[in-house]
Amino acid sequence: MNLDFSNPEPRDGARASFSARPIMQKTLKTSIGCTGVGLHSGSRVALKLHPAPADTGIIFRRIDLVGGGREIPARWCNVTDSRLCTVIADEHGVSVTTVEHLMAALYGMGIDNAVVEVNGPEVPAMDGSAWPFMFLMECAGLAELQVTRKAFRIRKSKSFTNGAKRVSLVPTQSDLRIDFEIDFRAAAIGRQHCSFSISAETFKSEISRARTFGLLSEVTALREAGLARGGSLENAIVVDGDRILNDDGLRHADEFVRHKVLDAIGDLYLCGHPIIGHFSGHCSSHGDTARLMRQVLADPSCWELVEVGDNMSESARVDSQPFAALA
Ligand SMILES: [Zn+2]
């Protein structure tokens, strides 16, 4: 689709409403990498981020397997497990685990296209937040591509209730808004609520450094089940009743609920585009977000792809997109 943005004259249909300056897709300026330990596998993993052409999206590539270069697009259609973290896999069962914090960092940086190479089954946990990944991306720098950015705009409300857990997505004029509420019996967490309009600045200053967390009692049970093997006070907040076991305490008084916002952003980015909509989560988990997104994607009247400008309320609808690839 070619739009002449220099022409202020209205043209046909939805395209005519797009008077804002277009925002172009972005990728990394250069490749950059790090190593770390997988939160659940406990194995050491090298991660490398590479630039990618426009309309590639985010693609994970396992380079440790025979034949090499097994690629898994970071899309909802490839999500195979959402119980403890988000897992994507290809049709042969080759998977990458715990993609959500890196996906949140890519969202926060406004990166539309990148190839994420890993030499193991899990993204390294780093410090349990999105911050180390953002730092890497900032070191690599960003490059603008010559294709307009597209957003996934919610047109109709959808919600999903699972006992006391609730998630919903409703239309907004512009940007992604997230409300989240959690209520834990552990006194150190308790009831927390937050609400953010997710801009690049808000993500970086308010969300990106919030770490994953676990209850000491659950960590023991997870370890016995062969999970959380790489979890430590270096990459997670660990709570025991009213105590926080990390010597240096919390980064925000409500770091727990902010991390839930970070998780939601990473998961939502599996739709392949920034979202224009209002997400609310009440005591919900990765699995509830996954259920909601499957409902949204299954209903074509619920969403549309739009080209975005610097005033995101004035966006042009994109026609004839390959929607089936998203479902
Ligand atoms: Zn998380």
Side-chain angles (χ1 to χ4, degrees):
M1 174 174 182
N2 295 312
L3 292 177
D4 177 7
F5 295 109
S6 63
N7 182 358
E9 290 299 312
R11 293 180 298 172
D12 58 335
R15 297 178 188 187
S17 68
F18 193 9
S19 61
R21 188 172 60 91
I23 291 178
M24 310 311 277
Q25 293 185 28
K26 291 192 182 70
T27 188
L28 293 158
K29 200 174 274 178
T30 184
S31 299
I32 194 161
C34 65
T35 57
V37 171
L39 184 67
H40 290 294
S41 63
S43 53
R44 192 144 195 93
V45 183
L47 174 140
K48 210 160 188 190
L49 305 172
H50 298 284
D55 293 330
T56 302
I58 309 300
I59 291 182
F60 283 75
R61 184 186 288 154
R62 284 278 301 268
I63 58 165
D64 55 315
L65 301 172
V66 177
R70 299 291 285 274
E71 294 192 338
I72 313 165
R75 292 295 187 116
W76 278 107
C77 56
N78 294 326
V79 173
T80 54
D81 194 347
S82 307
R83 282 170 296 177
L84 292 171
C85 58
T86 300
V87 182
I88 56 171
D90 71 6
E91 69 273 23
H92 305 292
V94 172
S95 63
V96 180
T97 299
T98 322
V99 300
E100 60 271 22
H101 303 165
L102 177 60
M103 290 300 291
L106 289 160
Y107 192 107
M109 290 293 293
I111 295 176
D112 305 275
N113 308 289
V115 173
V116 180
E117 244 175 42
V118 280
N119 69 347
E122 189 171 11
V123 174
M126 310 312 287
D127 71 349
S129 78
W131 173 252
F133 299 127
M134 287 193 83
F135 177 73
L136 267 187
M137 294 166 200
E138 285 179 348
C139 290
L142 301 189
E144 201 170 87
L145 301 165
Q146 294 309 304
V147 178
T148 308
R149 187 166 215 216
K150 298 173 191 75
F152 186 93
R153 180 156 67 186
I154 301 300
R155 300 178 62 202
K156 202 170 83 181
S157 302
K158 277 272 188 226
S159 62
F160 172 72
T161 302
N162 175 15
K165 302 166 160 193
R166 275 197 316 277
V167 280
S168 63
L169 259 172
V170 304
T172 52
Q173 282 303 304
S174 62
D175 292 332
L176 170 63
R177 177 154 204 97
I178 298 193
D179 297 342
F180 220 106
E181 184 170 33
I182 55 174
D183 191 0
F184 279 74
R185 198 171 294 169
I189 306 175
R191 195 182 191 103
Q192 300 187 353
H193 174 266
C194 68
S195 179
F196 291 102
S197 182
I198 308 297
S199 64
E201 294 74 26
T202 326
F203 182 82
K204 185 175 179 181
S205 63
E206 308 298 331
I207 308 295
S208 70
R209 295 181 72 246
R211 293 163 294 173
T212 193
F213 59 94
L215 306 176
L216 185 62
S217 53
E218 287 181 0
V219 171
T220 307
L222 286 171
R223 287 243 170 102
E224 282 168 3
L227 296 163
R229 285 178 183 162
S232 73
L233 295 173
E234 301 298 311
N235 57 30
I237 312 166
V238 181
V239 171
D240 184 19
D242 60 355
R243 290 192 309 137
I244 288 159
L245 303 190
N246 306 61
D247 285 340
D248 50 356
L250 298 175
R251 295 175 174 178
H252 305 272
D254 59 352
E255 187 171 351
F256 304 99
V257 75
R258 290 184 191 225
H259 185 79
K260 298 294 281 186
V261 172
L262 190 159
D263 278 342
I265 293 169
D267 284 342
L268 291 171
Y269 199 21
L270 290 162
C271 75
H273 303 275
I275 289 189
I276 302 174
H278 183 168
F279 175 89
S280 298
H282 176 82
C283 301
S284 57
S285 61
H286 295 292
D288 302 310
T289 308
R291 287 281 229 353
L292 176 70
M293 285 308 294
R294 288 192 199 289
Q295 286 184 14
V296 168
L297 288 163
D299 182 351
S301 68
C302 229
W303 57 278
E304 63 184 348
L305 283 187
V306 294
E307 294 192 329
V308 293
D310 52 6
N311 174 359
M312 285 182 67
S313 62
E314 293 192 46
S315 305
R317 184 180 172 135
V318 178
D319 301 319
S320 307
Q321 286 298 309
F323 292 151
L326 293 165

